[in-house]
């Protein structure tokens, strides 16, 4: 089956950052078969043709860190520090989650991401096999991993069962065209050294990503310094965990020595500016990491700490946050922000050979951005428009692995209204909890 996406500005995001005016992309089965001027494809009898109507044809966005099913807790506990948020609200709420509820929340997250142009996401959560199933059912590319703690999980119980759960996921999804499994210990402050080393060994054995929260807050850094006399990054180094497959999420409170360790060990970083701002965690030294050659992608974190999954908004926040923090308007350019959300995001997850840019032979993960709305006119620089003008609502079409997942703002792989109704049903269950569970919702969540 051939699919032709034509009559648009093609942002390839390839090594040379090639832009093709009045361009087109040809897809054969699930691969990109060719790119060029639209007239190069005149007379080509594609089975399906999508007219971009002068919009932007570009790689789908890549969310390098989120907790998809936390859509269920959107607005549950706002305006408080991370540890209070986690220990008094989120962990108690999660203790009663079921696998069917996680699937429901993950389906809503997939819908939200598809509607805002994300074609691939990296997820850490409970009952993660259900998140993988939601990604597969909705047609999204995903890197998924069960969160591992030192304490019993509502999903698998004792830690031993957690590693068994992960290994079963690795076996179950190993040949799937869209789903990749990762090993995902929660953090240095919730995971003991033996857990972290075992997780690292398992990830290395299967050549898959190792994903962990690192140095997200000052409090976390203080805990690790007091306990191990090392920073979180140096602590991970001492365990032999730092390496090219490690995705260090957040990475806010880093010293120069920490940044040096990340660079030397080719560690990848998932930057989540809006979550870090909302929880007042701080500002990650992203410009310095990028200057030193560390690969940095963008993540939204979960909907309970953001509260959306729109990577267009996240790109704009990333660019503007670092400008104002450094008082340097050039520090994170629009081009850099788009790279972080596309090809660099793919590299963070080890997927740069198959996605993240529009190049012949790569998997066809493509979005079309409508540029006809008033806030997108006129357009002198498409990269700037994507970062400073566009939102996820401007995405008209989403193609993942060569399949049209959304067209003209209509998702084709799920009944969105049924998904929304199911989430609202779960929200009604969550709404009233005993006060001894650590939280109480005063207002309706729907």
């Amino acid at each position: 089956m051939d699919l032709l996406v034509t009559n648009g500005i093609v942002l390839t995001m390839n090594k040379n950052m090639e832009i093709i005016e009045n361009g087109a992309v040809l897809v054969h089965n699930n691969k990109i078969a060719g790119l060029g001027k639209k007239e190069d494809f005149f007379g080509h009898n594609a089975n399906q043709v999508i007219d971009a109507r002068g919009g932007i044809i570009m790689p789908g966005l890549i969310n390098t860190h989120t907790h998809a099913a936390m859509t269920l807790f959107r607005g549950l506990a706002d305006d408080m520090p991370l540890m209070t948020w986690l220990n008094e609200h989120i962990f108690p709420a999660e203790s009663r989650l079921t696998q069917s509820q996680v699937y429901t929340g993950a389906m809503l997250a997939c819908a939200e991401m598809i509607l805002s142009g994300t074609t691939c996401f990296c997820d850490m959560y409970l009952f993660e096999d259900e998140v993988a199933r939601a990604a597969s059912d909705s047609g999204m590319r995903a890197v998924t991993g069960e969160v591992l703690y030192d304490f019993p999980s509502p999903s698998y119980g004792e830690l031993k069962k957690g590693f068994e759960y992960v290994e079963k996921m690795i076996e179950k999804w190993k040949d799937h065209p869209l789903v990749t499994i990762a090993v995902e210990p929660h953090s240095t402050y919730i995971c003991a050294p033996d857990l972290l080393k075992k997780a690292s060994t398992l990830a290395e054995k299967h050549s898959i990503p190792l994903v962990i929260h690192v140095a997200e807050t000052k409090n976390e850094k203080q805990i690790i310094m007091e306990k191990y006399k090392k920073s979180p990054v140096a602590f991970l180094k001492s365990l032999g965990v730092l390496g090219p497959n490690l995705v260090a999420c957040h990475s806010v409170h880093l010293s120069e020595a920490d940044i040096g360790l990340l660079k030397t060990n080719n560690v990848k970083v998932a930057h989540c500016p809006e979550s870090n701002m909302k929880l007042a965690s701080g500002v990650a030294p992203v410009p310095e990491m990028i200057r030193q050659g560390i690969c940095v992608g963008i993540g939204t974190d979960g909907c309970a700490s953001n509260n959306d999954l729109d990577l267009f908004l996240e790109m704009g926040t990333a660019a503007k946050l670092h400008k104002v923090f450094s008082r340097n308007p050039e520090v994170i350019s629009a081009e850099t922000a788009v790279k972080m959300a596309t090809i660099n995001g793919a590299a963070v997850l080890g997927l740069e050979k198959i996605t993240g840019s529009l190049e012949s032979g790569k998997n066809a993960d493509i979005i079309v951005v409508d540029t006809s709305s008033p806030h997108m006119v006129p357009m002198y620089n498409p990269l700037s428009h994507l970062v400073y003008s566009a939102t996820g609502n401007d995405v008209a079409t989403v193609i993942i692995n060569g399949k049209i997942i959304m067209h003209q703002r209509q998702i084709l792989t799920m009944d969105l209204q049924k998904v929304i109704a199911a989430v609202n049903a779960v929200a009604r269950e969550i709404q009233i909890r005993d006060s001894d569970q650590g939280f109480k919702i005063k207002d309706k969540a729907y």
Side-chain angles (χ1 to χ4, degrees):
M1 296 290 290
D2 283 353
L3 167 65
L4 183 65
V5 187
T6 187
N7 190 29
I9 302 168
V10 178
L11 298 187
T12 64
M13 302 307 298
N14 63 13
K15 185 176 181 180
N16 297 321
M17 291 297 292
E18 184 182 4
I19 298 176
I20 306 171
E21 299 281 351
N22 299 314
V25 180
L26 178 65
V27 177
H28 179 69
N29 293 332
N30 67 326
K31 303 286 187 182
I32 296 173
L35 305 91
K37 292 286 189 179
K38 66 179 183 181
E39 53 263 31
D40 296 340
F41 298 94
F42 286 169
H44 188 96
N45 295 319
N47 301 88
Q48 294 175 295
V49 177
I50 292 177
D51 185 353
R53 300 179 182 178
I56 297 170
I57 305 168
M58 64 178 292
L61 304 186
I62 297 173
N63 188 340
T64 58
H65 180 61
T66 192
H67 313 284
M70 291 188 84
T71 52
L72 299 173
F73 303 139
R74 194 193 319 261
L76 172 67
D78 291 333
D79 306 326
M80 58 187 66
L82 175 64
M83 292 305 177
T84 303
W85 177 78
L86 274 176
N87 294 321
E88 297 182 18
H89 299 270
I90 298 304
F91 285 159
E94 289 176 340
S95 69
R96 292 189 175 186
L97 278 178
T98 66
Q99 61 183 35
S100 65
Q101 290 173 338
V102 167
Y103 176 80
T104 297
M107 284 297 288
L108 181 67
C110 288
E112 185 176 351
M113 287 188 278
I114 290 167
L115 284 163
S116 53
T118 292
T119 55
C120 176
F121 67 101
C122 180
D123 199 66
M124 172 194 285
Y125 208 55
L126 307 161
F127 301 106
E128 196 67 15
D129 191 58
E130 294 300 309
V131 179
R133 184 165 71 93
S136 177
D137 289 350
S138 61
M140 288 198 74
R141 194 176 302 283
V143 177
T144 66
E146 180 74 11
V147 63
L148 300 170
Y149 311 112
D150 270 331
F151 50 81
S153 163
S155 172
Y156 53 75
E158 298 297 328
L159 179 59
K160 178 182 177 182
K161 296 291 186 181
F163 279 104
E164 292 175 3
Y165 187 104
V166 174
E167 296 211 55
K168 287 178 181 177
M169 284 189 67
I170 292 170
E171 178 63 24
K172 177 179 178 179
W173 297 97
K174 64 181 180 181
D175 297 320
H176 197 276
L178 294 173
V179 176
T180 302
I181 304 305
V183 184
E184 305 199 2
H186 183 274
S187 59
T188 55
Y189 62 92
I190 287 180
C191 300
D194 285 347
L195 191 166
L196 295 169
K197 288 190 285 188
K198 186 173 181 179
S200 178
T201 299
L202 181 60
E204 186 175 353
K205 173 184 175 182
H206 293 281
S207 300
I208 57 179
L210 178 68
V211 182
I212 181 172
H213 298 98
V214 176
E216 184 176 357
T217 66
K218 281 186 177 180
N219 187 49
E220 174 192 340
K221 185 172 183 178
Q222 182 179 351
I223 290 170
I224 301 305
M225 288 293 292
E226 290 177 356
K227 194 169 184 179
Y228 301 109
K229 311 304 179 187
K230 296 179 176 69
S231 71
V233 173
F235 171 57
L236 292 173
K237 172 62 177 175
S238 71
L239 299 177
V241 169
L242 295 188
N245 69 326
L246 181 65
V247 181
C249 305
H250 298 287
S251 297
V252 175
H253 296 279
L254 304 179
S255 66
E256 290 184 11
D258 291 333
I259 294 174
L261 286 173
L262 296 180
K263 176 185 178 181
T264 302
N265 292 276
N266 196 19
V267 173
K268 315 304 189 298
V269 171
H271 177 40
C272 306
E274 290 187 14
S275 174
N276 296 156
M277 292 167 68
K278 187 187 175 198
L279 294 171
S281 298
V283 180
V286 168
E288 180 60 19
M289 286 191 270
I290 292 175
R291 190 187 71 80
Q292 293 206 28
I294 295 170
C295 184
V296 181
I298 294 182
T300 58
D301 212 4
C303 277
S305 62
N306 186 313
N307 294 20
D308 63 72
L309 300 173
D310 188 335
L311 272 182
F312 281 95
L313 299 181
E314 206 77 34
M315 281 194 290
T317 298
K320 290 179 278 192
L321 170 64
H322 294 290
K323 294 178 193 300
V324 70
F325 187 70
S326 65
R327 298 185 182 182
N328 178 359
E330 299 177 309
V331 70
I332 295 288
S333 67
E335 179 179 309
T336 298
V338 178
K339 283 182 177 179
M340 290 166 68
T342 54
I343 187 59
N344 288 1
V348 166
L349 304 180
L351 299 175
E352 69 275 19
K353 292 183 179 180
I354 67 169
T355 190
S357 62
L358 303 184
E359 300 178 69
S360 292
K362 280 196 170 185
N363 289 37
D365 296 347
I366 304 167
I367 63 174
V368 177
V369 180
D370 180 12
T371 58
S372 65
S373 298
H375 67 279
M376 296 289 281
V377 177
M379 184 170 66
Y380 301 110
N381 183 327
L383 290 167
S384 290
H385 257 39
L386 291 172
V387 176
Y388 303 122
S389 298
T391 73
N393 291 328
D394 295 306
V395 178
T397 298
V398 172
I399 299 161
I400 303 175
N401 210 40
K403 180 179 179 180
I404 301 172
I405 303 298
M406 181 181 80
H407 187 49
Q408 296 180 351
R409 301 291 299 164
Q410 297 298 310
I411 300 178
L412 307 178
T413 53
M414 68 177 79
D415 185 330
L416 181 55
Q417 292 310 308
K418 284 187 177 180
V419 171
I420 290 172
V423 169
N424 279 330
V426 175
R428 284 190 288 271
E429 295 176 29
I430 293 171
Q431 185 184 349
I432 299 175
R433 290 283 197 247
D434 295 336
S435 59
D436 63 1
Q437 291 299 308
F439 68 97
K440 183 178 286 186
I441 305 173
K442 295 180 180 179
D443 301 315
K444 291 183 177 181
Y446 55 94

